[in-house]
Amino acid sequence: MINFELYKVFYLTAQLGSLSKAAKALYITQPSVSHAIKQLEEGFGLELFSRTSKGVVLTKEGQVLHSYVEQAFNFLSLAEDKMAELKNLEGGELRIGGSDSLCKHYLLPYLEVFHAQHPNVKIHLVHGTTPEIVSYLKEGKIDLGVVRMPVNDIQLEVREGILIQDCFVAGSKYRELSGQVLSLEKLLDYPIILFSRNSHSRYAITGLFRDHGLVLAPEFELGSVDLLIEFAKTGLGISYVTKQFVRKELEEESLFEIKLDVPIPQSRVGIITLKNMPLTSAASAFIDRIPLD
Amino acid sequence: MINFELYKVFYLTAQLGSLSKAAKALYITQPSVSHAIKQLEEGFGLELFSRTSKGVVLTKEGQVLHSYVEQAFNFLSLAEDKMAELKNLEGGELRIGGSDSLCKHYLLPYLEVFHAQHPNVKIHLVHGTTPEIVSYLKEGKIDLGVVRMPVNDIQLEVREGILIQDCFVAGSKYRELSGQVLSLEKLLDYPIILFSRNSHSRYAITGLFRDHGLVLAPEFELGSVDLLIEFAKTGLGISYVTKQFVRKELEEESLFEIKLDVPIPQSRVGIITLKNMPLTSAASAFIDRIPLD
DNA sequence: ACCCGCTATAGAAGGTGTCTATATGATTAA
DNA sequence: TTAATCATATAGACACCTTCTATAGCGGGT
């Protein structure tokens, strides 16, 4: 197979109709171009150009070759443009998997900033439980996942993000609990609202109760963190939510935190990617914006 | 612009999913392939492959690049096939201009043989007077011309072909002239049939008469050699034709030659091409089959 | 007839692609 | 766990080949 590099010289020579001009365009000398063309001609056993005193003109065979090489050249030029786009985040896509409520409350602000800076990068966001997110990653459906730690999977690369603290919150209906410090046992006298899906946070809190010989049986199981917040506000019960994600409600005092006499373990956000799998430049740029531990 | 040769390595590596296999396919060593890929990656500032223990897999960016490079590669492969076809005369075309009757009586046999041997070469045959043929040649409409000599044109490359001899022929109606040797003057007593168009042969014969103080005024002017032959056969007059082209008629005695007491100058067939303009391989192969002087 | 611009050629030098040898890492089998 | 195998990465040396400089040759235009 002929040295592809020669086609570049051939193409430019044909376009410019002159070895000298092609040489200038390629930042090489005219004899080099002459030599390159000769190599092509000898390779094919055909003359590609007829030389005149004012440049060169394609022969019939040269025209045939040129028609093909032109296409190839265009594709390769396009390719180089496209790669530059990808590198400069003027294209491509970012596919993120977020477990539970992290998508909305944790990721969204970063996504907004990223999108504002790189509007041409298409963003795909998928929800799922932690194991689902891990599966998506392994199947190549997403570039990175945002889940609660811990995640133990030898195939995964884990970057530790911020610490988050879950807590129980209630609305004004339970205002009398506002100043108090409750025991776990006492808390069970009130209707408890939990996230319905199997999540790390739910495992963690039921585990905590079990450790104290108690059973946490929720009055409501809700499918979204937004609903947990709404139900608590309405006074339907006491919701177990991530403190950072109800910061606004706590500040405006539509919700207040219920203090317990035992500490609720913190958990950590983890950014997971596939080990040994290079990140797209979009993914890697995005991760760089997320404050890690 | 990136060295096109690297794309060849990239493409094969992507296709084969392995640096080692690509190396084998390219008859180079694995480190060379590794190096080439690295150059591409550094050139783009992007990772193109993710390396695993059993080969390499395209990254997202690599896939994008591959989709373009694949097209380009296909075009270049096609180009190389096509050029091989052209070289081996399994394609392309042969465009010939023939003046006057040379097309049919002189060229046809050679064209038949050539076409039999290279059936995939398309043959275009155009008629015209010598100046027309020369024009076609200069305009690039034909690859070569077959005309009567002499042709004097600095831009033309002339190959001298066979000698041909014009003569006067008549049919049985003038049988009494068969054994005789006529003078030019005597010949004018009979109806003369000439080719109508301005041709070398007509100039030559009118010139010969003029040199003897005579004026050759034809009874008929016909547009094709076939008609000249037919008219003579029918007895409508005495036709001035090329002896070699009525060989059959002379042999079967449907025509006979009228001897003159002055020699009619011979003329020569010339194969003309454009100087400084490379021949297509079809044209050059064809010329090689024509017996030259 | 001269000059100018273009291409061809020759020979030299530098660069770069390729090589060998070896390291490193991952998977598989024992 | 260790050994073996197969993949890619790395380093350094060498050779080829691209590119260079210098010059010749050719044709056209002034």
Side-chain angles (χ1 to χ4, degrees), chain A residues 18-20 30-31 34 38 51-53 55-56:
Chain A
S18 149
L19 302 196
S20 319
Q30 169 266 317
S34 182
K38 175 157 295 184
R51 279 74 164 169
T52 77
S53 64
V56 294

Side-chain angles (χ1 to χ4, degrees), chain B residues 18-20 30-31 34 38 51-56 276:
Chain B
S18 150
L19 303 195
S20 320
Q30 170 266 317
S34 182
K38 174 157 294 182
R51 279 72 166 172
T52 77
S53 62
K54 53 179 58 171
V56 293
N276 306 324

Side-chain angles (χ1 to χ4, degrees), chain B residues 61-217:
Chain B
E61 283 89 355
Q63 286 170 21
V64 172
L65 180 62
H66 182 257
S67 66
Y68 289 89
V69 171
E70 184 170 33
Q71 309 289 329
F73 187 90
N74 288 337
F75 274 111
L76 293 183
S77 295
L78 266 179
E80 296 186 355
D81 291 348
K82 197 69 183 177
M83 297 310 278
E85 271 185 20
L86 289 183
K87 175 169 167 48
N88 302 324
L89 298 177
E90 292 159 4
E93 51 183 28
L94 175 62
R95 300 165 312 160
I96 301 181
S99 76
D100 304 342
S101 57
L102 289 175
C103 279
K104 178 172 175 190
H105 294 91
Y106 177 66
L107 276 179
L108 202 56
Y110 301 123
L111 284 175
E112 279 171 358
V113 173
F114 184 86
H115 181 64
Q117 295 201 342
H118 308 297
N120 296 315
V121 177
K122 281 188 190 159
I123 294 176
H124 301 254
L125 193 53
V126 301
H127 288 244
T129 61
T130 298
E132 281 171 351
I133 297 301
V134 170
S135 294
Y136 293 158
L137 207 47
K138 291 183 180 172
E139 293 164 15
K141 289 182 179 168
I142 55 175
D143 299 314
L144 59 97
V146 178
V147 298
R148 289 211 193 203
M149 303 278 284
V151 183
N152 286 312
D153 192 313
I154 188 74
Q155 295 183 52
L156 298 184
E157 169 105 24
V158 182
R159 293 168 181 76
E160 300 196 339
I162 58 165
L163 275 175
I164 52 181
Q165 171 71 67
D166 289 337
C167 65
F168 287 93
V169 295
S172 48
K173 178 172 180 191
Y174 298 100
R175 184 165 304 280
E176 77 271 12
L177 300 178
S178 171
Q180 304 183 30
V181 175
L182 272 67
S183 66
L184 293 182
E185 196 165 13
K186 189 81 204 315
L187 187 64
L188 290 181
D189 293 342
Y190 298 88
I192 300 296
I193 311 173
L194 291 186
F195 197 63
S196 62
R197 306 176 73 177
N198 288 333
S199 69
H200 274 143
S201 64
R202 176 154 178 181
Y203 280 131
I205 195 62
T206 50
L208 182 67
F209 276 83
R210 190 165 46 246
D211 291 347
H212 289 76
L214 301 169
V215 173
L216 177 61

Side-chain angles (χ1 to χ4, degrees), chain A residues 121-140:
Chain A
V121 177
K122 280 188 190 160
I123 295 177
H124 301 254
L125 192 53
V126 301
H127 288 244
T129 61
T130 298
E132 282 170 350
I133 297 301
V134 170
S135 294
Y136 293 158
L137 254 188
K138 292 184 181 173
E139 294 164 15

Side-chain angles (χ1 to χ4, degrees), chain A residues 10 13 16 25 36 42 46 51 53-54 61 68 82 87 115 117 127 140 173 185 191-192 197 241 263 268 279 284:
Chain A
F10 169 78
T13 303
L16 302 172
E42 285 172 0
L46 294 167
R51 279 74 164 169
S53 64
K54 53 177 59 172
E61 284 88 356
Y68 288 90
K82 196 70 183 177
K87 173 167 168 52
H115 181 64
Q117 295 201 341
H127 288 244
K173 178 171 180 191
E185 197 166 11
I192 301 297
R197 306 177 71 180
V241 297
R268 193 178 282 284
L279 289 173
S284 131

Side-chain angles (χ1 to χ4, degrees), chain A residues 6 10 19 38 103 108 119 133 179 215 233 266 275 288:
Chain A
L6 297 179
F10 169 78
L19 302 196
K38 175 157 295 184
C103 278
L108 202 56
I133 297 301
V215 174
K233 277 188 187 168
Q266 291 188 313
K275 212 178 266 179
D288 288 345

